[in-house]
Amino acid sequence: MNYILKILLTAVAVLVIAYLLPGVDVDDYGTAIWVAFIVGILFSILKPLLVILTLPVTILTLGLFLFVINAALILLANHWIDGFSVSGFWTALLFSILLSFFESILHKLIEK
């Protein structure tokens, strides 16, 4: 049940970010739920593998390369989901930063 609530709150965050950030478009709430679900799967399965594979670069950049990995995963979700579009790498980078920020706030609210 808690996982479903986190997906729904992430979908709300995706809609808010799409409203605030030019270059990000989400068709409707159903698409936002798919974006939250797919991004959650990508971040939980593919991101750890990418972090291990790019560990030397991540260490050299003092962890800043993790932002590049996040943006790449957002762009991958962009290609997989119809109705969700991100205009470019820099928009995906800002989208991933804002999504992390909003998710941390929303998930803190449900833990209380």
Side-chain angles (χ1 to χ4, degrees), residues 59-111:
I59 291 171
L60 283 175
T61 61
L62 302 175
L64 293 176
F65 193 74
L66 294 174
F67 289 123
V68 174
I69 292 173
N70 288 347
L73 293 177
I74 295 296
L75 289 173
L76 185 61
N78 175 33
H79 289 293
W80 284 354
I81 302 170
D82 293 331
F84 173 63
S85 66
V86 179
S87 63
F89 174 78
W90 295 108
T91 306
L93 182 68
L94 188 55
F95 179 85
S96 69
I97 292 169
L98 289 173
L99 184 63
S100 297
F101 177 73
F102 282 127
E103 279 183 334
S104 66
I105 290 172
L106 291 173
H107 292 185
K108 290 283 185 189
L109 290 175
I110 64 170
E111 288 179 2

Side-chain angles (χ1 to χ4, degrees), residues 7 11 28-41 77 81-82:
I7 292 290
D28 56 2
Y29 192 71
T31 305
I33 291 173
W34 275 113
V35 170
F37 182 71
I38 297 296
V39 166
I41 288 175
I81 302 170
D82 293 331

Side-chain angles (χ1 to χ4, degrees), residues 9-71:
L9 288 176
T10 302
V12 169
V14 167
L15 285 174
V16 168
I17 295 168
Y19 179 76
L20 295 175
L21 189 63
V24 177
D25 294 315
V26 179
D27 284 349
D28 56 2
Y29 192 71
T31 305
I33 291 173
W34 275 113
V35 170
F37 182 71
I38 297 296
V39 166
I41 288 175
L42 288 173
F43 277 28
S44 64
I45 295 173
L46 197 56
K47 184 177 177 180
L49 294 172
L50 291 174
V51 168
I52 290 171
L53 291 174
T54 61
L55 193 59
V57 175
T58 303
I59 291 171
L60 283 175
T61 61
L62 302 175
L64 293 176
F65 193 74
L66 294 174
F67 289 123
V68 174
I69 292 173
N70 288 347

